[in-house]
Amino acid sequence: MKYDTIIIGAGVIGASIAYQLKHLSTKKKILLIDKNDKVAMANTSKSAALYKNLFSSKTSQVLANSSIS
Ligand SMILES: Cc1cc2nc3c(=O)[nH]c(=O)nc-3n(C[C@H](O)[C@H](O)[C@H](O)COP(=O)(O)OP(=O)(O)OC[C@H]3O[C@@H](n4cnc5c(N)ncnc54)[C@H](O)[C@@H]3O)c2cc1C
């Protein structure tokens, strides 16, 4: 079977990319694979899933604030 895009890693980033690509074009064939049996078993599942902006660098603060918005 052929795919337009293969994404390796089914954490929040890989799953988000797969969702956005499919959202842009439902005809595209996208394969999302992971070395684990289930999705989001790495950092994503260990995350506290909080929004925070307690960073010391200006760049991280701007990024965090834009994400929160
Ligand atoms: C303890 C902890 C607390 C956190 N708290 C927060 C928080 O409060 N707020 C916040 O915003 N962020 C938090 N984070 C950070 C956040 O969880 C990560 O930035 C985010 O989940 C990363 O997502 P990811 O998809 O890039 O990586 P991951 O979720 O790690 O996904 C990567 C995937 O790739 C797969 N993979 C790796 N290598 C291969 C391979 N060779 N072949 C196939 N598959 C592979 C893995 O199995 C995994 O499923 C926290 C992280 C940790 C560890």
Side-chain angles (χ1 to χ4, degrees), residues 18-42:
Y19 173 85
Q20 293 297 338
L21 288 175
K22 203 69 180 167
H23 189 69
L24 287 171
S25 175
T26 54
K27 291 180 180 169
K28 294 283 186 193
K29 285 181 146 321
I30 297 164
L31 178 65
L32 176 62
I33 60 174
D34 201 284
K35 65 180 178 181
N36 287 310
D37 294 342
K38 298 175 184 169
V39 300
M41 296 299 289

Side-chain angles (χ1 to χ4, degrees), residues 45-67:
S45 63
K46 294 174 177 61
S47 163
L50 300 171
Y51 297 126
K52 61 188 175 198
N53 63 352
L54 302 172
F55 297 100
S56 55
S57 90
K58 181 78 177 164
T59 303
S60 294
Q61 289 171 0
V62 169
L63 180 61
N65 284 334
S66 70
S67 298

Side-chain angles (χ1 to χ4, degrees), residues 3-19:
Y3 296 92
D4 297 299
T5 305
I6 298 174
I7 300 166
I8 301 170
V12 67
I13 299 298
S16 298
I17 292 169
Y19 173 85

